[in-house]
Amino acid sequence: MSYIAPVKDMLFVLEELSGIDDIAKLPGFEEAGLETAQAVLEESAKLCGEVLAPLNVEGDRNPSSWKDGHVTATPGFADAFRQFAAGGWQGVQHPVEYEGQGLPKLIATACIEMLNASNLSFALCPLLTDGAIEALLTAGSDEQKKTYVPKLISGEWTGTMNLTEPQAGSDLALVRTRAEPQGDGSFKLFGTKIFITWGEHDMADNIVHLVLARTPDAPEGVKGISLFVVPKFLVNEDGSLGERNDVHCVSIEHKLGIKASPTAVLQFGDHGGAIGHLIGEENRGLEYMFIMMNAARFAVGMQGVAISDRAYQKAVAYAKDRVQSRPVDGSAKQAVSIIQHPDVRRMLSTMRALTEGSRALAYVAASHSDLAHRHPDEAKRAEHQAIYEYLVPIVKGWSTELSVDVASLGVQVHGGMGFIEETGAAQYYRDARILPIYEGTTAIQANDLVGRKTVRDGGAVAKALLAQIAQTVEALKQHKGAAFDSMQKHLSLGHDALQSTVAYVVANTKRDPNAVFAGSVPYLKLAGIVLGGWQMARAMLAAQEKHAQDPSFYGAKIATAQFFAEHLLPQAVALEASITSAKGGEGYLALSEDQF
Amino acid sequence: MSYIAPVKDMLFVLEELSGIDDIAKLPGFEEAGLETAQAVLEESAKLCGEVLAPLNVEGDRNPSSWKDGHVTATPGFADAFRQFAAGGWQGVQHPVEYEGQGLPKLIATACIEMLNASNLSFALCPLLTDGAIEALLTAGSDEQKKTYVPKLISGEWTGTMNLTEPQAGSDLALVRTRAEPQGDGSFKLFGTKIFITWGEHDMADNIVHLVLARTPDAPEGVKGISLFVVPKFLVNEDGSLGERNDVHCVSIEHKLGIKASPTAVLQFGDHGGAIGHLIGEENRGLEYMFIMMNAARFAVGMQGVAISDRAYQKAVAYAKDRVQSRPVDGSAKQAVSIIQHPDVRRMLSTMRALTEGSRALAYVAASHSDLAHRHPDEAKRAEHQAIYEYLVPIVKGWSTELSVDVASLGVQVHGGMGFIEETGAAQYYRDARILPIYEGTTAIQANDLVGRKTVRDGGAVAKALLAQIAQTVEALKQHKGAAFDSMQKHLSLGHDALQSTVAYVVANTKRDPNAVFAGSVPYLKLAGIVLGGWQMARAMLAAQEKHAQDPSFYGAKIATAQFFAEHLLPQAVALEASITSAKGGEGYLALSEDQF
């Protein structure tokens, strides 16, 4: 099998780090304890391992194709999507009243990791559909919810997000697509949207496009953008499909990776206007889209975790199999499997530590989202929501940036074979590269982290997390041995680096915004490393507790945490130096364009 | 134009950092001063910019193709190769007596950078030919030299290196290709070689394969490998081409990048035996191959510098052109070109600082090679040779590892457009990925750095370099201002990190080889960052001196050096922590295979 879902590690994280027992105490989640999680994860692992993972290479070699406005998905994808839909997997985290399974985001997150690890291109279709569902549930009318959400959850239809235009990528203020009111409550849309993932395909009967556009009197900039639902086929009152709407796929992109996922250019209104309906209130489109995007950003962060794990699994398998060179310590006279060589172990352990650290951080974030939605105490809900929102740009930015490095190490472990496409390691390297770009580049995430998530509350959430890290450092001191000593030392240094960075950001953003924003991505990475390292420290403490029950598993967890402490956490100090050195008025920030 | 050779920066490095004036005092190099260098570089820049660079994309889209044993190069390549050969560019650094130009390696290095920046796939053919020439000049008989070298220099023929076999990649002890003596001084070779760059093509009349193989009575392992010359067409006594030899290309690989460069599987002896002749003495093949490989490793390091510069140039052009979002400091109410945004500047400056730092270090290494060959004082020659040999694995390993990061940043600067193949940034990301693998992976370079280059002399060369770095730190103290303060501080910390790492490596390699070799790649990277940062510090001092003459150029150099100090040099301390933490008997080094 090409991908085996790491159910054991996932359950460890759910139980020991993300507090699934507490989640199962929340109203409506009474059935959602560890036992349920295990059953769901094992079932999901089967579908992902047996059906979706084998199609991943096929999708790379035989991408989605466009002809005369129609897009044909990779052979096998439509059938796999039917199986995915029939199993109810689109609805895992969505409400029971719309035919979803109503499970916590925490459990859904593990399923989403598997889905993306098995087949990133395929998983993008459900990912975007999830976003459409969330936006409709939050801002749609009752009728819109009833019309669209059950069909999206059943997989009869799929959803898309239409933001980008040729001149409007990171900067949505530049959106130009027009929506003209028709007097009957409907609008006609005119414009071009690009980079629309699964914007056209043959896997479902209808495609529900959520589209950002401007009404005639809308103010300029981001405050004049509204959100519309524009289905590929209009929907009759009885829910059956009506006429073909005037939205057409004029081409799909030729991309570096995720080739099976069609990236569409959509033309709205070239034949009289694409009929759409306003979602929520006029001019609040960006706000609604952010709901979708926050869900999507978190999910893209999971894609980073997912592709890292897939790349790790492949590299480990190769390193156990490939025999080359004698051991450097002279312990054997014959060539040994390369996993015996220290540098190969270093590479594999880097891949593993980053994967496990980013997984743990993301799952912990998901549990805060569940607590934010369901905790009986309103103040607690707000507290958890603030933590979740602080973590989203970090999960998105850090997990995806590191996935590029992890996939690159995966190629390196394979040596020359890694560069040959048939080997498969190169696909992860190509696929991963989009993750730090779409749903907001790392810089966009870092802007969010600095502005909305750190400066706005004067660093309060960050400080609350730092206090928790300090408690973990204290707990580490109760243990002896090299692993605990290293973790205590480096987590403590990491804590201090994050603390002084947060203080620097809070103090300087208004005074010298160029300097702070020049350090925004390093701040995001520093936060990821320290918070991820903190989760590994918590994992280490839990593993020590249970060590005797399964020495192989828990011993590896402790060794991986130690590796994280010694090889990854030290980067925090280097990043701090980089962040705090910038002054907006000098050096590279002051060069003229011509000097580049 | 898609690539403009950075002649100005190259000449700055030649003059201010690599001491071209001293090189021009060496016997035989009297004509090779700055003026000659400038003339050669400008001429080379024309060929590379006008002829080779435009073919780079074509090579990616329309790779070399195989049919019935024949390989057809990308359209336009054969003609470009004729122009390259006619200009005498293959012979820049080779002896005049074999029709070369006899210029210093220092000048040739700048030409090689341009060649690779303009077209990496194309440049591989001359790169391998250079290696073949060096091996023949070092170990070949007079007759072999006369037969092969002038034809290789003229570009009528090209050369290859045949090391790898399916079971023998990094581990050449496992080579199995047989060479059977025929009694007339010739041998017949039988075996399969893989990953042979430009192993078959239609750009030249003959291909001179240098092949590692075993004679019947050879000892096992690397001490039983001999080197043979096996031309595609046998050469008659008068130098004309004779019969087709029994070496055939049975396939070429489907690769992630450098697609125009055919990577051949060569079958020797399937039709009676491939006729070859021994080069030098039996069983000394690996030693000779190392001559070739050291030249090739240095050249691959230059490929890293080259692709970094190409990626940088493309990213800068896009960042000046693409308009998106208002400035974070509120200095404009409209969207501005993205080069105005601090994070884009950070990315571009990272790319630039790494490119300029790795270029400077490589050129300085080249100057040591020239001094090692031509200095009148034997002791000085040995001293420079030792420094050059210390630097080769660093130039190879560090410049190529960073080129992957630089190319990746290049994609990131382009945002979503970077992921679209038509944009071109993705090609560099794909092409660069082979560089840390071929001609010895980074781990192989790091083994060399630890074993032969550090432990063997008790760290003597490293310490000599450290003493020079300390002098530069003192010189920095004579200057005021943020840029010099930062460089002085971080170069000093870097010096200390490298110093203690070298001491650790010397003290522990025998005692705990697994621990030291687990830190070998981090040691290599640390050495690269500190030595590269040192060159940037020297550049800063030189630029300060000449600032008034060209404030734009020298000001940018100082700003880039300051960036290197503040953003890159701090990594040295993090790497040191990682290197010195490992203990071979514990943690991830002690895990069983099953625990991965």
Side-chain angles (χ1 to χ4, degrees), chain A residues 169 171 324-325 329 408 433, chain B residues 169 171 324-325 408 433 514 593:
Chain A
D171 187 0
Q324 202 80 174
S325 300
D329 62 6
S408 182
R433 196 62 199 76
Chain B
D171 187 0
Q324 202 80 171
S325 299
S408 182
R433 196 62 199 76
N514 286 316
E593 283 195 21

Side-chain angles (χ1 to χ4, degrees), chain B residues 205-260:
Chain B
D205 297 337
N206 201 5
I207 302 175
V208 182
H209 302 294
L210 297 201
V211 186
L212 290 185
R214 291 183 188 284
T215 55
D217 305 324
E220 278 191 27
V222 294
K223 288 175 183 168
I225 298 174
S226 302
L227 182 63
F228 297 86
V229 55
V230 184
K232 175 179 169 184
F233 288 97
L234 298 175
V235 182
N236 298 322
E237 284 199 11
D238 64 356
S240 64
L241 294 185
E243 277 180 42
R244 183 69 167 83
N245 205 351
D246 184 14
V247 44
H248 296 280
C249 175
V250 296
S251 65
I252 62 174
E253 307 290 353
H254 172 223
K255 306 190 300 293
L256 172 62
I258 53 163
K259 295 187 181 189

Side-chain angles (χ1 to χ4, degrees), chain A residues 192-494:
Chain A
T192 304
K193 293 286 180 179
I194 65 168
F195 294 165
I196 309 308
T197 300
W198 287 99
E200 177 58 34
H201 62 82
D202 60 351
M203 303 205 302
D205 297 337
N206 201 4
I207 302 176
V208 181
H209 302 294
L210 297 201
V211 186
L212 290 185
R214 290 183 189 283
T215 54
D217 306 321
E220 277 192 27
V222 293
K223 289 176 183 165
I225 298 174
S226 304
L227 181 62
F228 297 87
V229 55
V230 184
K232 176 178 168 185
F233 288 97
L234 298 175
V235 183
N236 298 324
E237 283 200 11
D238 64 357
S240 64
L241 294 184
E243 277 181 44
R244 182 72 166 81
N245 206 350
D246 185 12
V247 44
H248 296 281
C249 174
V250 296
S251 64
I252 61 174
E253 307 290 352
H254 172 224
K255 307 189 300 292
L256 172 62
I258 54 163
K259 295 187 181 189
S261 151
T263 303
V265 177
L266 292 184
Q267 197 69 33
F268 292 82
D270 267 10
H271 307 282
I275 295 169
H277 287 87
L278 186 66
I279 297 181
E281 294 173 29
E282 229 170 293
N283 298 333
R284 289 181 63 187
L286 202 70
E287 185 185 321
Y288 306 142
M289 197 57 101
F290 259 104
I291 294 161
M292 240 163 123
M293 282 211 299
N294 269 326
R297 284 174 175 185
F298 178 82
V300 172
M302 288 315 305
Q303 296 192 305
V305 178
I307 197 111
S308 293
D309 191 44
R310 183 83 187 254
Y312 171 70
Q313 290 193 21
K314 188 166 189 73
V316 166
Y318 184 80
K320 288 181 180 176
D321 187 59
R322 173 75 170 168
V323 171
Q324 202 80 174
S325 300
R326 289 179 290 180
V328 289
D329 62 6
S331 58
K333 293 207 167 168
Q334 297 300 315
V336 294
S337 60
I338 63 171
I339 198 170
Q340 298 301 331
H341 297 311
D343 187 65
V344 173
R345 289 201 160 216
R346 180 192 61 83
M347 290 194 280
L348 293 175
S349 297
T350 304
M351 298 172 76
R352 178 189 202 159
L354 289 169
T355 304
E356 293 187 7
S358 59
R359 173 183 296 132
L361 184 60
Y363 287 23
V364 166
S367 73
H368 285 292
S369 173
D370 286 324
L371 290 159
H373 280 93
R374 301 279 182 121
H375 200 285
D377 179 343
E378 193 184 333
K380 284 278 171 197
R381 285 203 300 276
E383 203 177 286
H384 287 293
Q385 181 65 22
I387 296 175
Y388 175 67
E389 288 187 1
Y390 181 82
L391 294 178
V392 166
I394 299 168
V395 167
K396 200 288 182 180
W398 182 57
S399 307
T400 61
E401 289 278 341
L402 69 84
S403 76
V404 175
D405 297 338
V406 169
S408 182
L409 281 170
V411 173
Q412 189 73 17
V413 169
H414 285 80
M417 290 306 297
F419 201 67
I420 307 298
E421 285 288 2
E422 283 77 2
T423 305
Q427 186 187 346
Y428 310 138
Y429 177 73
R430 289 186 286 99
D431 285 354
R433 196 62 199 76
I434 191 59
L435 304 182
I437 295 174
Y438 64 16
E439 298 303 333
T441 63
T442 308
I444 297 290
Q445 307 303 322
N447 283 357
D448 183 43
L449 180 65
V450 166
R452 285 186 210 90
K453 310 297 171 65
T454 303
V455 174
R456 189 179 285 179
D457 72 356
V461 170
K463 284 172 197 166
L465 289 169
L466 282 160
Q468 290 187 48
I469 295 173
Q471 282 176 16
T472 301
V473 171
E474 287 307 310
L476 290 165
K477 288 183 184 164
Q478 310 307 314
H479 295 268
K480 284 179 186 173
F484 286 90
D485 289 351
S486 280
M487 181 56 92
Q488 187 248 304
K489 175 183 166 189
H490 291 293
L491 183 58
S492 178
L493 290 169

